[in-house]
Amino acid sequence: MPLRILMAEGNDVNQKVAQMMLARLGYQADIVDHRRRGARGDAADLLRRRAHGNQLAVMDGLRSPAKIRAERGPRCPPWIVAVTTAAFTSERSAAFAAGLNDFLTKPVIFDQLQQALVRGFHEVQATRAAGKGR
């Protein structure tokens, strides 16, 4: 499954764990540290490069999906997965209402990550086949 993965994570240990899990699945992720530099530093620069030059701000997880989707447009909608410690039903509902496509809670279990990637891949392929994507 060819996927390009961008991960915004501020915790060094979580970054390493996620990198190892993704490597087991044959993926590499571009990682931005949303805590350290904010919207004016390396994280914003990497987000802009990965979004094909679009100007994306680094912001909280519930505002980010709408901004990312607005910048990318309907022809190339990204598949956005929240990976969070927020596990309450109300938090999950808020994430989906904000435009997230999938939701995983920490600590992430390998099989759940793999299933989320498969769901994302199939949804992106279905969108493209229906002529909604590139």
Side-chain angles (χ1 to χ4, degrees), residues 32 37-49 54 56-58:
V32 295
R37 303 293 298 272
R40 293 194 176 100
D42 294 334
D45 293 339
L46 182 57
L47 279 171
R48 279 193 291 276
R49 285 196 307 273
N54 291 328
L56 299 180
V58 177

Side-chain angles (χ1 to χ4, degrees), residues 59 111 129:
M59 58 192 76
D111 289 342

Side-chain angles (χ1 to χ4, degrees), residues 51-63:
H52 306 289
N54 291 328
Q55 302 296 311
L56 299 180
V58 177
M59 58 192 76
D60 71 69
L62 294 182
R63 291 189 336 196

